């Protein structure tokens, strides 16, 4: 097996494979990437068992073949080399398969031990799977609005992913950890046949969101407890999370009595300053809203506290709500509007955070006990 390739092009592809791989231990086949060199195309595969990644790279093949190689070390070798063409060649040394990696114009050579591809996991085939198209920019936006809100509590595994469902012509994405909920819905499924609702690992969604172009479509399929994505020269698949996703519609308030609006940039800066004095374990801040003024205050601690006022649009009674500052800060990073609306009914009931004017996504946060 011998082929040559452009160093920069290879690094950009292998970097995605490295995101998928879960272990940096050289002893595990799951820390390796699979190379298949055939017909002047190098197929690269990587997996952590839950998420599978495949890409095809044009290379100049002198001898076809296949092997697996330790991903972390391989990308480290390439990163250390100057730009230009690199040769990858398999050799035998002491009954061990070795990859000889040379720069074609510099006197640089590395030898890296390989592992047989026999134990590399098989990927599910996507050739006869019924794909549907979703505009790439829309899906990326929906992932950004929801994936950060999944639960990290593995005992509640059914909330460890983003819920995908088709409602009429709308694709809905929902994530919750039991204390907050993120919802996004876009009418992008016109003419698409119904598919089963699914709970999707955020890891595969974040790879899609990071590497798909804003232009064109992403092909998606949900079938046999798997989800498949195709875009550019990439194919990703992932097992779905088994279990019953909570009935999220019960959490969404039908009507809220009060609302106030603030400038997003002012609130982001106030949270950044106020959080300097917040007990990070509790994360509690207080938001006191009075006509025309929002006051953000950290919970008093042994170190002290912080307090900041900003103008807001509000005409109701004085109300103070205790919130985890991260549950405000994280949605604000994804909301693109210049103004933000907070909707509520009373201090201990759900608060809705949404862009102003309203769009096709929102965030719901449960307040904390006043302390």
């Amino acid at each position: 097996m011998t082929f040559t390739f452009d160093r920069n092009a290879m690094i950009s592809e292998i970097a995605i494979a490295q995101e998928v791989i879960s272990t940096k231990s050289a002893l595990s086949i799951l820390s390796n990437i699979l190379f298949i060199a055939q017909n002047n195309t190098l197929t690269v595969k990587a997996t952590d068992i839950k998420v599978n990644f495949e890409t095809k790279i044009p290379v100049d093949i002198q001898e076809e073949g296949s092997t697996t190689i330790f991903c972390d070390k391989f990308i480290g070798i390439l990163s250390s080399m100057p730009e230009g063409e690199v040769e990858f060649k398999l050799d035998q040394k002491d009954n061990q398969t070795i990859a000889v990696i040379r720069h074609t114009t510099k006197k640089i050579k590395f030898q890296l031990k390989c592992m047989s591809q026999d134990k590399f996991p098989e990927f599910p085939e996507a050739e006869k799977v019924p794909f549907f198209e979703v505009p790439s920019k829309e899906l990326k936006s929906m992932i950004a609005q929801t994936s950060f809100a999944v639960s990290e509590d593995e005992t509640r595994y059914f909330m460890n992913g983003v819920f995908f469902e088709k409602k009429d012509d709308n694709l809905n994405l929902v994530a919750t950890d039991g204390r907050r909920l993120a919802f996004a819905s876009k009418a992008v499924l016109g003419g698409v046949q119904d598919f089963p609702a699914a709970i999707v690992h955020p890891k595969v969604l974040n790879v899609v969101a990071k590497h798909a172009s804003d232009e064109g479509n992403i092909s998606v399929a949900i079938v046999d407890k798997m989800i498949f994505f195709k875009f550019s020269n990439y194919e990703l698949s992932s097992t779905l999370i088994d279990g019953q996703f909570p009935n999220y519609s019960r959490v969404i308030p039908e009507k809220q009595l009060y609302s106030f609006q603030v400038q997003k940039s002012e609130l982001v800066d106030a949270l950044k300053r106020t959080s300097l004095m917040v007990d990070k374990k509790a994360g509690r801040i207080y938001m006191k809203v009075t006509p025309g003024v929002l006051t953000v205050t950290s919970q008093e601690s042994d170190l002290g506290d912080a307090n900041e006022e900003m103008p807001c649009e509000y005409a109701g009674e004085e109300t103070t709500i205790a919130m985890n500052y991260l549950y405000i800060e994280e949605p604000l990073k994804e909301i693109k509007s210049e103004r933000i609306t907070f909707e509520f009914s009373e201090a201990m009931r759900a608060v809705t955070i949404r862009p102003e004017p309203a769009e096709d996504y929102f965030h719901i946060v449960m307040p904390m006990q006043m302390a």
Side-chain angles (χ1 to χ4, degrees):
M1 179 183 184
T2 307
F3 60 90
T4 54
F5 57 89
D6 177 74
R7 174 255 192 195
N8 287 354
M10 181 68 79
I11 286 177
S12 67
E13 303 292 294
I14 301 301
I16 307 175
Q18 191 178 39
E19 291 174 31
V20 170
I21 289 171
S22 61
T23 173
K24 293 191 175 182
S25 165
L27 300 176
S28 169
I29 193 70
L30 296 182
S31 65
N32 283 24
I33 46 177
L34 173 62
F35 281 168
I36 303 170
Q38 201 169 33
N39 300 324
N40 279 333
T41 299
L42 180 70
T43 299
V44 180
K45 295 186 177 185
T47 184
D48 69 351
I49 297 299
K50 292 178 181 176
V51 178
N52 308 310
F53 167 77
E54 180 177 331
T55 185
K56 296 185 186 299
I57 309 169
V59 295
D60 183 12
I61 297 175
Q62 291 80 52
E63 184 180 351
E64 295 183 346
S66 61
T67 192
T68 79
I69 192 165
F70 183 32
C71 181
D72 196 53
K73 194 63 68 178
F74 181 61
I75 200 168
I77 289 169
L78 295 184
S79 298
S80 75
M81 286 186 169
E83 295 184 3
E85 291 287 308
V86 176
E87 180 189 72
F88 183 103
K89 181 176 182 178
L90 291 189
D91 206 348
Q92 293 292 320
K93 182 178 179 181
D94 302 327
N95 294 321
Q96 170 74 53
T97 301
I98 301 290
V100 180
I101 304 161
R102 308 173 188 263
H103 198 280
T104 58
T105 59
K106 306 284 185 180
K107 292 185 177 180
I108 304 169
K109 183 178 83 170
F110 289 88
Q111 295 187 120
L112 187 58
K113 292 180 179 180
C114 300
M115 291 176 69
S116 167
Q117 67 270 30
D118 295 347
K119 294 182 180 179
F120 196 85
E122 290 284 335
F123 283 12
E125 292 293 331
E127 292 179 3
K128 296 182 180 179
V129 171
F131 282 88
F132 57 89
E133 302 293 306
V134 179
S136 180
K137 187 174 182 179
E138 305 281 30
L139 182 57
K140 289 175 63 176
S141 170
M142 295 176 75
I143 293 169
Q145 291 295 340
T146 54
S147 63
F148 65 86
V150 302
S151 173
E152 296 181 354
D153 181 355
E154 293 188 2
T155 65
R156 307 174 83 183
Y157 60 90
F158 49 87
M159 295 197 298
N160 292 164
V162 177
F163 186 62
F164 267 57
E165 70 170 353
K166 181 178 185 292
K167 278 283 183 76
D168 300 322
D169 288 345
N170 281 40
L171 174 63
N172 293 347
L173 266 62
V174 190
T176 182
D177 64 5
R179 296 176 297 276
R180 58 173 168 182
L181 181 143
F183 177 91
S185 179
K186 290 185 183 290
V188 294
L189 299 180
V192 173
Q193 291 187 349
D194 288 351
F195 54 81
I199 308 172
V200 184
H201 288 282
K203 183 175 185 176
V204 69
L205 296 177
N206 291 334
V207 173
V208 170
K210 183 176 179 180
H211 298 287
S213 165
D214 282 348
E215 305 299 322
N217 292 332
I218 296 174
S219 299
V220 185
I222 298 174
V223 65
D224 294 336
K225 297 187 178 181
M226 297 288 299
I227 189 165
F228 299 85
F229 298 94
K230 288 183 181 180
F231 57 93
S232 186
N233 56 313
Y234 305 126
E235 294 185 17
L236 288 134
S237 61
S238 175
T239 56
L240 298 174
I241 296 173
D242 203 9
Q244 183 68 43
F245 197 77
N247 183 358
Y248 68 86
S249 60
R250 293 171 57 186
V251 180
I252 301 173
E254 290 184 13
K255 182 181 180 182
Q256 289 174 291
L257 301 177
Y258 308 106
S259 68
F260 64 88
Q261 292 177 22
V262 293
Q263 199 71 14
K264 174 187 163 182
S265 58
E266 292 183 358
L267 181 56
V268 167
D269 290 344
L271 285 171
K272 191 179 298 182
R273 286 185 282 266
T274 307
S275 66
L276 293 173
M277 302 302 291
V278 167
D279 176 347
K280 294 300 187 284
K281 189 173 182 181
R284 184 183 282 104
I285 61 162
Y286 301 105
M287 298 179 72
K288 182 176 78 172
V289 61
T290 58
V293 179
L294 172 66
T295 306
V296 180
T297 308
S298 69
Q299 183 177 353
E300 190 171 339
S301 69
D302 293 340
L303 294 173
D305 57 39
N307 178 291
E308 184 163 341
E309 292 185 358
M310 71 197 74
C312 76
E313 289 183 31
Y314 178 64
E317 298 179 356
E318 176 181 314
T319 303
T320 300
I321 304 173
M323 309 266 282
N324 185 320
Y325 80 96
L326 286 174
Y327 288 2
I328 307 171
E329 187 177 77
E330 289 178 337
L332 292 184
K333 290 178 183 176
E334 304 303 336
I335 294 175
K336 304 306 179 187
S337 63
E338 293 183 1
R339 291 186 68 73
I340 307 293
T341 292
F342 286 74
E343 299 172 343
F344 65 98
S345 289
E346 54 188 75
M348 286 309 299
R349 294 179 68 180
V351 176
T352 302
I353 306 171
R354 62 170 177 80
E356 181 60 42
E359 293 186 35
D360 44 20
Y361 61 86
F362 54 80
H363 304 271
I364 293 174
V365 179
M366 293 304 299
M368 302 176 75
Q369 293 285 343
M370 303 290 287

